[in-house]
Amino acid sequence: MRSNMMLLMAAAIWGLGFVAQRLGMDHMGPFTFNGLRFLLGALSLLPLLWWLKSRQPSAPSGSSSGDRRLLLIGGLLAGTVLFSAASLQQVGLLYTTAAKAGFITGLYIILVPVIGLLLRHKTGTNTWVGGLIAMAGLYYLSVTDDFTMGYGDLLQVVGALFWAIHLLVLDHYSNRVAPIRLAGVQFLVCGLLSLTTAFIIETPTLGGALAGWQALLYAGLVSVGIGYTLQVVGQRGAHPAHAAIILSLETVFAAVGGVLLLGESLDERAVVGCCLMLAGMLISQIRLRWWWKSRRDKVPSQ
């Protein structure tokens, strides 16, 4: 229950974070914004890392060296994938609404078990049923009458693939290394990659960062520093399928935040698409045989 509550809080923080991400780009480019917010998120973990280190007994030098190597590999891999996913999402927000971006990003919930097949993970028929329903929802949400998709929506679709990969990478390493340290390393890697890209294709300025300080504060300290840490720690004690279901609620919080805080609106076609996508996400993670087994176990033996 504690792990599930952590994941629910992360979903709420990330959903409302779409609002901050859009507001922040009123003053700076997408890569500048991502670079600053992820580095700010990494810095926010330093006090917690120092406190945890002071409470842990010193480990043998051999095992410590092995743990650091695994942490570096996991952090570099997770940070690179996070950079790809966050960049596609942030640039896509320049061309689409926060509400639509939240629901399209949520496709990673369905892509997780599909990609898991390549890793020899098992999946059920519900994955394919939910996937078909979600794809129908994506059609209603993003595909126009002339069968074209907006540039921003397309970037969010590609980004969903990288978010799915990121979830699997964290699931692999969070039980092998300290989750808070893993979070810190991946934030640092993602922030440095983003800022490097920003200095190449954008023109970062101190004035822009100061003008968007409120959005940066939420996106860096709350969305990154708290949200991603809750995900890393929460996934350590939660089943991957349960984690995916809870994190899918991020889409709902994003839509609510976009409508209430940004004045966005969704027409009837988009609302139908959002409902179908959310239904598909949930169905893809819920196996009907669990319900059947629970019903069967309640029947007394003859």
Side-chain angles (χ1 to χ4, degrees), residues 51-109:
W51 180 77
L52 290 175
K53 184 178 181 180
S54 65
R55 294 174 59 88
Q56 292 177 348
S58 57
S61 58
S63 61
S64 178
S65 176
D67 291 343
R68 283 196 295 268
R69 182 175 180 275
L70 187 61
L71 174 64
L72 181 60
I73 294 174
L76 285 172
L77 180 58
T80 302
V81 177
L82 179 60
F83 163 73
S84 302
S87 298
L88 288 164
Q89 182 185 84
Q90 195 68 26
V91 174
L93 278 169
L94 291 171
Y95 307 97
T96 190
T97 64
K100 293 177 69 174
F103 274 94
I104 298 174
T105 299
L107 283 175
Y108 78 88
I109 301 299

Side-chain angles (χ1 to χ4, degrees), residues 183-247:
V185 174
Q186 72 162 353
F187 298 159
L188 181 62
V189 171
C190 181
L192 291 176
L193 288 175
S194 298
L195 270 189
T196 300
T197 305
F199 279 106
I200 294 175
I201 65 176
E202 297 175 356
T203 307
T205 62
L206 179 60
L210 293 177
W213 71 270
Q214 292 175 317
L216 274 176
L217 194 64
Y218 183 93
L221 294 182
V222 181
S223 186
V224 175
I226 298 177
Y228 282 101
T229 302
L230 287 172
Q231 180 199 16
V232 171
V233 178
Q235 276 192 239
R236 199 176 191 182
H239 189 279
H242 299 169
I245 292 173
I246 296 171
L247 292 176

Side-chain angles (χ1 to χ4, degrees), residues 99-278:
K100 293 177 69 174
F103 274 94
I104 298 174
T105 299
L107 283 175
Y108 78 88
I109 301 299
I110 295 173
L111 294 175
V112 166
V114 174
I115 298 175
L117 292 175
L118 302 177
L119 304 175
R120 299 181 180 180
H121 295 175
K122 294 182 179 180
T123 188
T125 306
N126 59 300
T127 298
W128 308 109
V129 174
L132 290 174
I133 295 174
M135 291 304 295
L138 178 62
Y139 171 81
Y140 277 100
L141 181 65
S142 299
V143 179
T144 62
D145 293 334
D146 56 354
F147 298 100
T148 60
M149 178 180 288
Y151 181 62
D153 292 354
L154 182 60
L155 289 179
Q156 301 298 340
V157 171
V158 179
L161 174 62
F162 284 94
W163 288 118
I165 297 173
H166 181 249
L167 190 69
L168 290 170
V169 171
L170 287 183
D171 183 62
H172 178 76
Y173 284 101
S174 60
N175 289 320
R176 291 169 171 80
V177 298
I180 303 299
R181 293 180 180 179
L182 176 62
V185 174
Q186 72 162 353
F187 298 159
L188 181 62
V189 171
C190 181
L192 291 176
L193 288 175
S194 298
L195 270 189
T196 300
T197 305
F199 279 106
I200 294 175
I201 65 176
E202 297 175 356
T203 307
T205 62
L206 179 60
L210 293 177
W213 71 270
Q214 292 175 317
L216 274 176
L217 194 64
Y218 183 93
L221 294 182
V222 181
S223 186
V224 175
I226 298 177
Y228 282 101
T229 302
L230 287 172
Q231 180 199 16
V232 171
V233 178
Q235 276 192 239
R236 199 176 191 182
H239 189 279
H242 299 169
I245 292 173
I246 296 171
L247 292 176
S248 68
L249 296 177
E250 170 191 357
T251 61
V252 178
F253 288 109
V256 172
V259 171
L260 296 181
L261 301 178
L262 295 177
E264 298 175 350
S265 61
L266 295 171
D267 57 25
E268 293 182 1
R269 180 185 175 95
V271 170
V272 171
C274 290
C275 292
L276 286 174
M277 291 187 72
L278 182 59

Side-chain angles (χ1 to χ4, degrees), residues 19-29 33 90 208 211-212 215-216:
V19 175
Q21 289 174 240
R22 279 193 55 104
L23 293 176
M25 288 190 294
D26 291 340
H27 310 284
M28 66 197 85
F33 183 82
Q90 195 68 26
L216 274 176

